[in-house]
Amino acid sequence: MLAKPLGGYSRISDADLSDIRRAVKTGLLTPEEAAEEERKGVLRQREDIETLSGGAPIRWYEDNNLSAFKRNVRRPDFEQMVKDLKAGRISGILAYDIDRVYRQPRDLERVIDIYETSKESLTFKTLSGQNFDLTTSDGRFSARLFVNIANKSSEDTRRRVVRANVAKAKKGKSHATGPVYGWLDEDTSKLDPETSKIRKKAVEKHIAGDRIATIMKWLAEEMNVINPATGKHFTWGGTKAMILAPRNWGIRTYNEEIIYDDNNEIVMGDWDPIFPTLDTWHLLKGIKGRDTKQQRSEANVSYLLTAIARCGRCGGSLKGHPKWVKGARTALYNYNCNKQRPEQCGALAIDGPQLDTLIQDLVWAQVLRASKQKQVPEAAEPWTGEAALKDVEEEIAELQELWNAKKVRASSYVVALDDLNARKNELLADRAYHSVPAGTRSITEELLTNGWENLSIERQRIIVRKVLRAVVVYPAKHRGGRFAPERVEPVFHAA
């Protein structure tokens, strides 16, 4: 009968990884060399652990780049080792040192419970030279004492790191720990002339109306942009983070919260921003808050006139539907009345590509005429929030005076200041949204230069909505007849 294996557990410590990452950052090691060094560290641990086995077979468990201290970090191989130990699939644990296995007392107690209740003779050995044998009361006492000391040390280190990071943030020091797309790899405080233009363009596309998914596709397929953090194309989440990152405007954050100085001014970072002023940042926030509902409703729209075209019989929305031939989807499509039951309506349809072409030609002509005559519409109403913004700024100033005079408690000051700052940012975002005329966001230099065909479907829909309130489609006089432009009535916005 084969001997039951022992569990050999290895984990590169946070200190080892910090040294390796520092060497990569300073250029002493390449990323490939760093991975090799990390692997060598694991293999050295295995060689040392094998000396404890006494020739018994070892089943290996390995968790690297994973903290044993952080409560929210799950170590898959450690969890599997505990399961195997409890199920009797291994006869004990071998490790280079106890702190490679435990940094949280609760993890140690889980394993101690197994050792105390097991009917088998289990093994627990490390190379530390101290008695951590979990089969004895003295060993358990030593293990508990050491893990509690190690936990306290990690807590102290974490507290110092947090304090240092907060101080660094308040001074505007960069928080970048590796390459950041848009900035130079060798100096993340300096913009990269080429990639920063692409990052800026991504933000501008989003402000103009492009969805995150559209910009992600543009970055990958047209620009072949690679995320330096992953070595792959940007994901949807990565694209969103790149566009909305306060770093684009030089704004310093900590734990995703904007940092304010003692005068309640936003702390600006010590790196070159892509946008030299905060105007577009406030505008982006305003558009994000105002258009969330519309963006959600537009999320899966694939056809230009879906919900813009209306049924001339019942007034319901028309929706684009692909045409199928012999069970296969084609590139052709119809717009159909979106009512669900025939008694409501639901019978009207019109050829999609021809309706789109008709409306595109009409809208494009309107756009060109507006641009030539410089009749770009201004905002419908002037912004009326100046007084409210001034009131909020005065309240902030009064609150700071009370704080400086020590007439308000810290807890009350922090809560009130957060609320006032949030209100101030809402007003600034609203002002930025109103300060850029709606037509300007539609009739752009990019649009006039590149033409209609080079715009995303959502950008085209935004422009159609700026020119037309709706497109009414009336019933056909004959079933199966040719496309009849007279069936279509564009409804313009009131002048």
Side-chain angles (χ1 to χ4, degrees), residues 11 32 104 137 150 166 180 260 280 294 316 340 378 413 418:
R11 182 181 68 86
E32 294 75 18
Q104 284 291 348
S137 59
V166 170
V180 182
Y260 292 86
T280 50
Q294 179 179 338
Q340 298 298 313
E378 296 295 328
Y413 171 75
D418 282 350

Side-chain angles (χ1 to χ4, degrees), residues 364 367 442-452 455 463:
W364 186 239
V367 168
S442 299
I443 306 172
T444 63
E445 184 179 350
E446 177 192 11
L447 170 61
L448 297 174
T449 302
N450 297 334
W452 180 273
L455 296 177
I463 295 168

Side-chain angles (χ1 to χ4, degrees), residues 218-231:
W218 170 75
L219 288 171
E221 297 182 2
E222 294 189 36
M223 309 308 295
N224 193 29
V225 169
I226 301 298
N227 185 343
T230 64

Side-chain angles (χ1 to χ4, degrees), residues 11 80 113 123 131 155 205 224 278 305 322 374 394 432 447 449 455 472 481:
R11 182 181 68 86
Q80 186 60 53
D113 286 345
T123 300
N131 176 20
E155 282 282 4
K205 279 178 170 289
N224 193 29
L278 298 183
L305 298 177
K374 297 183 180 179
E394 289 177 353
L447 170 61
T449 302
L455 296 177
V472 179

Side-chain angles (χ1 to χ4, degrees), residues 7-22:
Y9 185 79
S10 60
R11 182 181 68 86
I12 293 291
S13 72
D14 294 339
D16 293 333
L17 290 173
S18 297
D19 290 340
I20 292 173
R21 290 166 184 162
R22 194 176 298 112

Side-chain angles (χ1 to χ4, degrees), residues 25-40:
K25 190 173 182 179
T26 56
L28 295 176
L29 291 176
T30 65
E32 294 75 18
E33 290 171 336
E36 185 179 347
E37 282 299 313
E38 183 178 323
R39 192 62 197 157
K40 285 180 180 178

